[in-house]
Amino acid sequence: MVSLRAVSVDVERTPVLRQLDWDVAAGEAVGVLGANGSGKSTLLSVLATLRTPCSGTGTVLGARLGTSACAAVRPRIALVGHSPALYPQLTLEENLRFFARLLGRADCASDAALEAVGLAGACRRRAEECSQGMQRRADLARVMLVEPQLLLLDEVHTGLDQESVGLVDELIAQVCQRGGAAVVVSHEQRLASVTDRVVRIVQGRVIVPTEREGSR
């Protein structure tokens, strides 16, 4: 699913990732820990094919990074970042139906996704009027519509109640059961309970913990 070899990334001329070697297999969920500024979010942007390494090579879903092949695999990748990917002036229902139509899916699919995350009763509320937790849930509903092969989560547990955390865990499990893969970035040690392995980024390099921190 992911293969990186000696990948380095600079952001505004500042070295962020350095000579990084890393693989993620099909059916695998990997947790990524690291301090602020360690390169976790930059790594996700590379895996989403949104940022091209300044050196090194890599493939994501078979597409070589930095080539036109990346455009073909992006619809199979779902990235959930710090800010939910919602249009603030649209209702939750309008947001989800818009995404569904982009994917060639019927409105009923988006309605079902909102119901699955517990937002059916708030579907006509504008996104900007929703709490952070509700916006996070709506973003998870968007991912359900995409049915990605590669799921990338950046601090997605932040601002979620316990029930919503369970939705994230179930989403990770569903992607992996379909033969996809998930990469979950977080500060939280609980990553070990929902992933197959946990790695730590230190000074722009992936460091595998010497002791297994848990399993899904």
Side-chain angles (χ1 to χ4, degrees):
M1 303 297 282
V2 171
S3 180
L4 305 180
R5 293 293 175 269
V7 163
S8 295
V9 176
D10 294 346
V11 177
E12 297 180 354
R13 299 184 180 181
T14 300
V16 178
L17 299 179
R18 277 289 165 262
Q19 296 293 308
L20 189 149
D21 293 320
W22 198 42
D23 295 292
V24 179
E28 184 178 40
V30 184
V32 180
L33 293 170
N36 287 334
S38 62
K40 303 187 303 298
S41 294
T42 299
L43 173 61
L44 288 189
S45 69
V46 171
L47 299 185
T49 74
L50 301 177
R51 187 182 295 276
T52 301
C54 59
S55 65
T57 61
T59 58
V60 174
L61 300 181
R64 185 167 295 279
L65 293 174
T67 70
S68 58
C70 291
V73 302
R74 282 181 192 138
R76 296 151 53 193
I77 301 171
L79 171 63
V80 179
H82 292 240
S83 300
L86 301 171
Y87 292 99
Q89 297 295 326
L90 298 182
T91 67
L92 298 181
E93 180 181 71
E94 289 168 339
N95 268 285
L96 267 291
R97 288 187 175 186
F98 173 72
F99 291 126
R101 289 165 187 169
L102 288 177
L103 296 167
R105 305 192 64 182
D107 289 347
C108 61
S110 62
D111 296 344
L114 282 174
E115 184 173 359
V117 299
L119 290 176
C123 65
R124 290 181 173 81
R125 186 180 302 183
R126 289 196 297 186
E128 64 185 358
E129 298 171 347
C130 294
S131 67
Q132 181 185 11
M134 292 173 68
Q135 291 181 20
R136 287 282 191 181
R137 284 185 180 223
D139 221 17
L140 296 178
R142 174 183 63 85
V143 174
M144 291 178 182
L145 286 173
V146 175
E147 296 183 344
Q149 285 185 278
L150 180 60
L151 176 63
L152 308 173
L153 303 177
D154 194 355
E155 301 288 355
V156 72
H157 294 99
T158 302
L160 290 180
D161 56 28
Q162 192 57 46
E163 183 179 355
S164 299
V165 167
L167 290 172
V168 174
D169 298 349
E170 179 60 26
L171 186 58
I172 294 170
Q174 288 175 2
V175 170
C176 293
Q177 287 165 6
R178 290 197 301 264
V183 178
V184 189
V185 161
S186 181
H187 289 290
E188 301 181 19
Q189 294 292 336
R190 73 173 298 279
L191 274 180
S193 66
V194 295
T195 58
D196 299 295
R197 60 188 172 100
V198 177
V199 298
R200 187 180 300 275
I201 292 186
V202 179
Q203 297 180 342
R205 297 174 183 267
V206 170
I207 307 297
V208 180
T210 56
E211 295 184 5
R212 183 170 174 77
E213 295 184 333
S215 60
R216 234 176 345 123

